[in-house]
Amino acid sequence: MKLAITPTLLYTALVSALLGIALGFADPGYMPLWQATFSFIGLFTLSLTVQQFSKITGNKSIISFIAILLTLGGGYTAYTGWEEFFSCLHCSNFSRLQLNGAIGQPNLFGSLLLISWLSAIYLFSHIPQRWMRYLAYFAALIFFGAPLPFTGSRTVLLSLIGVLGISTLSYFFIRTAEPRRVSSAVVVAMLVGLVAQFSLPPTASHFLGVTNRSTLNRIEAGGISASQRLRTDEWKKSFETWTHHPVHGVGVGRYAYQSFILQQLPPYNEVPRDKVYDHSHNLFTQLAAETGSIGLLLTVLLFATWFLQQIKTEKSAATILCWGGLTVLFIHSNLEFPLWYWYLLIPFTIMLATTERAVKTITLPSVIVPLIWIAGVGATGWATYMVYQGSLQINEGYSLSGSNPNQSKVLGAAAVKNPFVSLEADQMLSYLDSSEEVNVASKLARNTRLLYWRPYASVVYRRSILLAQMGQVTEAKRWIISALSVYPNERNEYFEPLLASAKKTKNILELQTFYQKALIVLVQEKQR
């Protein structure tokens, strides 16, 4: 049996192997590494599945199937956005509302809607009657395109520009009828979408009597990159992390701790943050920081090879959809959270796999490829089951935390042994911990595990209490300073209740006095 070694198949196989080797040397509870390893095994299996199905049905059928799923899934998401729009229409905070629908995040909501809009255009382009096709295009424009300006997403604005550029080039350089029909429809849609970004909110304000900031207003207020240097600071922090660990990075999922440490230093501490992000808002700088030059180089080679192949590959209407979808996802991943959401990662992988060519074709015994596929499906299925099982335990643990905390701890202790959810379980057990001086050493050990992957306000503030209870008052003071410098507004929720309920030992009283003095200094600095 012949197996085509494509860039995506080779990349996912190499990354799966490298991450799998790393698992052999890592802490058994290294949850992000377990999740990343089996995610890439799943992506390898998906690439292999796409390749084998394309021999039977052709790439066009696969893309049409994905387009249908994206249109339906995006249709539901768009519906929830419209529902949010009308339910909040006369709310007091409508002027600052950013639609996010069922997704819960405006940029992600906007990117998913834009891909769904492209998928709908691709599907509707196959309607033979011209008037029906144009009517379908208009319906897609209203349903998917009209909510986009109310997301206030600058990422969506850049994606619209990117897709407009790709579709315009496609229209002029691809001469066959079907791709040109799709390209022309996308060009018109993106132009209307761009105009709507700046015109629709004020138009709605005029006719509906309500005000909502347009994307232009948000750019004027915060700049094209981000409000208060958020993105640029995260890019610089991740780049700085890479320069300190240039070969293999700090490890998968460990950027958050580096970001927390750097946030306390100039120039990053010049701008106060409500939280520290566990991602750098850029796929490449995130990879550089966490996987070093090895992971970065492999990823750059994947995209470079795919891009060069597009010059010679046969073009179709499906190609235009894939190019547009990949453009949206690529821009989103380099300005927002990377491609870790399954509903973005799966379409991204399929679009790559269906538009690339084999670098080399090898011949294997007929039984080998099915065995590889079965092993991949089995590993992915086992990992999915483990995540599902662990999530059930954790969710049940949280639900019982008020009525039966002892049972919650039993569930959490069982979930900690599951490498795919171990940190989630540690987080739940930490939530259940009281401030009593009981099992302080084990509580501190759990807090330390959480700290290196999730240096959240709750973790850092609790650490100072635990260290004081262990007699390490100097260290406790250092962590109070760290917490106040990064999370000053979270102290009322995550520190003061713990401090109030802790037994007033000599160490705790000393920490309390130090904290009160530190607060005075914090207030004085804010007044300057």
Side-chain angles (χ1 to χ4, degrees), residues 454-462 483 487 490 494:
R454 296 185 173 184
Y456 302 156
S458 59
V459 174
V460 180
Y461 276 116
R462 180 178 291 272
Y487 306 112
E490 306 292 331
Y494 294 115

Side-chain angles (χ1 to χ4, degrees), residues 255-266:
Y255 168 72
Y257 182 70
Q258 303 299 318
S259 178
F260 170 75
I261 295 299
L262 290 172
Q263 187 61 41
Q264 302 170 52
L265 305 174

Side-chain angles (χ1 to χ4, degrees), residues 449-471:
R449 286 196 300 272
L450 286 170
L451 178 71
Y452 290 117
W453 281 284
R454 296 185 173 184
Y456 302 156
S458 59
V459 174
V460 180
Y461 276 116
R462 180 178 291 272
R463 186 171 187 78
S464 63
I465 296 286
L466 293 171
L467 286 167
Q469 291 175 335
M470 288 288 291

Side-chain angles (χ1 to χ4, degrees), residues 224-479:
I224 190 68
S225 63
S227 302
Q228 296 185 320
R229 298 183 352 200
L230 187 154
R231 287 176 179 80
T232 52
D233 274 5
E234 293 301 327
W235 296 344
K236 290 174 184 176
K237 283 194 282 185
S238 54
F239 181 79
E240 188 172 338
T241 300
W242 177 48
T243 59
H244 293 148
H245 306 271
V247 179
H248 50 70
V250 294
V252 176
R254 285 182 167 164
Y255 168 72
Y257 182 70
Q258 303 299 318
S259 178
F260 170 75
I261 295 299
L262 290 172
Q263 187 61 41
Q264 302 170 52
L265 305 174
Y268 311 112
N269 60 1
E270 296 170 356
V271 179
R273 302 281 183 216
D274 291 329
K275 63 179 180 177
V276 169
Y277 289 88
D278 56 7
H279 57 94
S280 68
H281 288 73
N282 185 283
L283 175 64
F284 293 104
T285 61
Q286 180 91 6
L287 286 170
E290 294 192 345
T291 64
S293 300
I294 297 172
L296 180 63
L297 182 61
L298 284 174
T299 306
V300 169
L301 284 174
L302 166 68
F303 289 128
T305 304
W306 176 87
F307 182 78
L308 291 174
Q309 284 187 348
Q310 300 313 296
I311 300 171
K312 296 182 179 180
T313 52
E314 184 180 351
K315 314 299 188 298
S316 66
T319 307
I320 308 304
L321 170 60
C322 290
W323 284 358
L326 289 169
T327 299
V328 174
L329 293 174
F330 190 81
I331 290 173
H332 181 93
S333 295
N334 286 287
L335 292 173
E336 301 297 333
F337 199 83
L339 286 164
W340 307 156
Y341 299 101
W342 65 267
Y343 46 81
L344 295 185
L345 190 55
I346 290 175
F348 188 86
T349 302
I350 292 174
M351 288 175 179
L352 278 179
T354 52
T355 51
E356 64 186 358
R357 294 185 301 120
V359 177
K360 185 178 178 62
T361 301
I362 60 175
T363 302
L364 297 171
S366 58
V367 72
I368 296 297
V369 174
L371 284 177
I372 293 173
W373 184 82
I374 290 170
V377 169
T380 306
W382 174 73
T384 303
Y385 171 76
M386 292 293 286
V387 171
Y388 172 74
Q389 187 70 20
S391 299
L392 284 181
Q393 290 174 322
I394 291 169
N395 291 336
E396 187 178 357
Y398 275 118
S399 67
L400 294 173
S401 61
S403 59
N404 194 347
N406 289 331
Q407 181 61 24
S408 294
K409 291 179 181 179
V410 170
L411 290 166
V416 162
K417 299 175 184 178
N418 183 336
F420 292 95
V421 296
S422 56
L423 285 179
E424 300 287 353
D426 270 333
Q427 189 85 41
M428 185 191 75
L429 290 171
S430 178
Y431 169 77
L432 292 170
D433 283 341
S434 67
S435 57
E436 295 178 5
E437 293 193 29
V438 180
N439 300 323
V440 178
S442 63
K443 292 177 183 178
L444 183 59
R446 181 185 301 121
N447 180 271
T448 301
R449 286 196 300 272
L450 286 170
L451 178 71
Y452 290 117
W453 281 284
R454 296 185 173 184
Y456 302 156
S458 59
V459 174
V460 180
Y461 276 116
R462 180 178 291 272
R463 186 171 187 78
S464 63
I465 296 286
L466 293 171
L467 286 167
Q469 291 175 335
M470 288 288 291
Q472 302 175 36
V473 182
T474 303
E475 271 294 287
K477 292 175 181 178
R478 187 173 75 83
W479 283 102

